[in-house]
Amino acid sequence: MSKVLVTGGAGYIGSHTCVELLNAGHDVVVLDNLSNSSKEALNRVQTLTAKSVDFVEGDILDEVVLDQIFQNHQIDAVIHFAGLKAVGESQKIPLKYFENNISGSISLVQAMERANVFNLVFSSSATVYDEANISPLNEDMPTGMPSNNYGYTKLIVEQLLEKLAQADERWSIALLRYFNPVGAHKSGLMGEDPQGIPNNLMPYVTQVAVGRREKLSIFGNDYDTVDGTGVRDYIHVVDLANAHLCALNNRLNAQGCRAWNIGTGNGCSVLEIKNTFERVNGIEIPFEFAPRREGDVATSFANNARAVQELGWTAKFGLEDMLADSWNWQKQNPNGYRD
Ligand code: NAD
Ligand code: WQD
């Protein structure tokens, strides 16, 4: 069993990954500055697992804090979730994104090098693929210039980690390219808790369902898709969390830097999400069609064969689980962790 440093471990994907790590017998140290999360998420991780998490409130840009963590703990591997992720905000304050996501990642790997820890799993995104690629997207397809600064930071960090592993064979790095994470822990104790107006579809839908928002705006109904609305590959957050355990396992016995898509391989439209949510949960979602959102592509879904073959990972949850679990979380926690 390993001791894993989880940066951003109080966040949506990080907290679910902590549960899976602890349940698998790993020890977990979380470093999070709580800029987009709440300590309550970690309390719930501990309740669900009956295990304790070592929590350090601090920033990945703070090398003193990082060195202390590596001195105080025998860390075997790092899973690096910490980062800012709001696409629209990244267009308004790019430097904040460059500093936090790019400089923050450099600061982290520098501290890892000082501590002789060379196993890393990085949260990347399907947004790094060139928009001209036709889905299903596979890892050999070219990356391209993302349409926003958030995506740009993911591409840059992927590239610098690749170059790092090329230059120094001690590194073993997994780049996990997430598609669209949704869903929540089955217990309803943990889930996605965005601050302010949600940017992403699923928390918007659940906030409409719970009465916090009036209606869903569907961005575009004239795409060349099954019903004119955008098609994405939604992946249950617990399946995504487990992909990190598979990647850790793979990297502990490997060398170099390699990318894996983490998606189900199924494309699903916005209208299908709305209709399936209504059917599974018995709640109507009022909606209107609105203009296309700038920067959106019509269709994006994964070819996940590489993760299945090389990591031994499979997605166990389908769309109905994702939508039932998202709702279970939201209805039990109408105001997220801020109750
Ligand atoms: P999140 O905002 O819930 O979690 C990120 C966590 O990092 C938060 O707890 C935040 O407080 C923390 N953090 C941010 N900057 C930090 C810093 N400088 N130092 C320490 N902690 C810091 O987001 P999430 O959805 O859980 O995403 C996790 C990672 O996965 C991010 O890197 C994100 O870019 C990436 N990702 C997310 C999605 C998605 O749709 N949710 C898709 C692809 C990739
Ligand atoms: C999904 C679909 C929208 C909201 C983003 C980032 C990406 C990654 C995941 C981090 C699209 C439509 C949405 C709404 C809608 N994040 N939609 N009404 O855009 O695929 O990906 O999150 O890495 O980088 O770009 O996800 O959930 O925002 O949108 O109609 O209120 O839902 O147009 O078709 P997206 P999303």
Side-chain angles (χ1 to χ4, degrees):
M1 288 305 130
S2 308
K3 191 164 205 175
V4 183
L5 171 61
V6 181
T7 74
Y12 172 46
I13 306 167
S15 58
H16 286 81
T17 303
C18 287
V19 168
E20 300 307 309
L21 286 167
L22 290 164
N23 282 342
H26 298 292
D27 290 323
V28 170
V29 181
V30 166
L31 172 63
D32 200 303
N33 65 6
L34 302 180
S35 61
N36 194 40
S37 54
S38 149
K39 195 160 176 283
E40 178 58 19
L42 294 175
N43 294 338
R44 305 218 181 160
V45 168
Q46 298 187 130
T47 303
L48 279 171
T49 59
K51 294 192 176 157
S52 66
V53 172
D54 268 304
F55 174 55
V56 179
E57 184 172 345
D59 202 294
I60 52 170
L61 284 155
D62 185 339
E63 56 185 48
V64 175
V65 169
L66 286 168
D67 286 344
Q68 271 167 2
I69 291 173
F70 287 110
Q71 274 156 24
N72 294 342
H73 301 274
Q74 195 69 43
I75 301 288
D76 299 296
V78 177
I79 306 182
H80 176 31
F81 295 103
L84 299 174
K85 64 164 185 176
V87 168
E89 186 185 63
S90 77
Q91 298 301 93
K92 295 193 184 105
I93 46 170
L95 278 178
K96 187 83 192 146
Y97 276 70
F98 301 157
E99 181 190 36
N100 208 71
N101 294 6
I102 302 174
S103 305
S105 297
I106 294 172
S107 161
L108 176 67
V109 293
Q110 283 173 328
M112 289 176 68
E113 188 180 71
R114 288 194 293 277
N116 274 307
V117 177
F118 294 102
N119 292 314
L120 175 67
V121 180
F122 173 61
S123 298
S124 188
S125 169
T127 193
V128 300
Y129 285 110
D130 192 310
E131 284 180 11
N133 294 315
I134 309 279
S135 291
L137 302 172
N138 73 61
E139 297 86 346
D140 292 325
M141 287 177 167
T143 56
M145 180 55 74
S147 62
N148 60 76
N149 293 320
Y150 161 75
Y152 176 69
T153 68
K154 291 292 171 192
L155 182 67
I156 294 294
V157 174
E158 273 207 4
Q159 290 177 344
L160 68 85
L161 292 176
E162 270 161 24
K163 291 192 184 301
L164 180 63
Q166 275 164 18
D168 182 343
E169 63 182 21
R170 292 173 299 176
W171 284 96
S172 183
I173 301 174
L175 311 173
L176 298 189
R177 294 177 176 164
Y178 312 160
F179 279 70
N180 289 62
V182 297
H185 192 269
K186 288 273 169 210
S187 63
L189 279 182
M190 293 170 42
E192 187 169 12
D193 182 22
Q195 293 174 7
I197 301 170
N199 300 300
N200 295 112
L201 177 63
M202 188 49 54
Y204 207 101
V205 168
T206 58
Q207 290 194 10
V208 171
V210 86
R212 277 170 69 179
R213 316 259 158 223
E214 190 193 335
K215 61 180 168 207
L216 171 69
S217 296
I218 296 184
F219 301 140
N221 62 346
D222 57 353
Y223 286 109
D224 184 15
T225 61
V226 59
D227 56 23
T229 65
V231 167
R232 297 290 183 274
D233 185 336
Y234 297 91
I235 170 87
H236 196 293
V237 67
V238 174
D239 278 332
L240 176 57
N242 277 308
H244 294 79
L245 276 72
C246 296
L248 263 191
N249 219 13
N250 175 283
R251 289 293 91 185
L252 287 173
N253 307 302
Q255 184 267 322
C257 181
R258 191 153 172 84
W260 287 276
N261 286 340
I262 308 297
T264 62
N266 301 317
C268 174
S269 78
V270 179
L271 272 176
E272 281 175 78
I273 289 279
K274 182 197 85 70
N275 294 339
T276 312
F277 186 95
E278 292 180 327
R279 178 171 55 75
V280 168
N281 297 317
I283 297 172
E284 199 195 333
I285 303 295
F287 77 100
E288 64 182 2
F289 289 118
R292 291 181 180 194
R293 186 173 63 179
E294 206 186 316
D296 275 357
V297 294
T299 300
S300 169
F301 62 94
N303 174 332
N304 64 13
R306 187 188 277 188
V308 170
Q309 283 158 18
E310 296 181 1
L311 301 181
W313 171 83
T314 49
K316 297 194 171 63
F317 298 109
L319 190 62
E320 295 192 1
D321 288 297
M322 300 181 211
L323 301 178
D325 295 343
S326 290
W327 175 231
N328 187 36
W329 149 254
Q330 186 77 77
K331 92 177 156 205
Q332 288 189 48
N333 304 270
N335 297 310
Y337 292 113
R338 286 172 289 269
D339 277 340

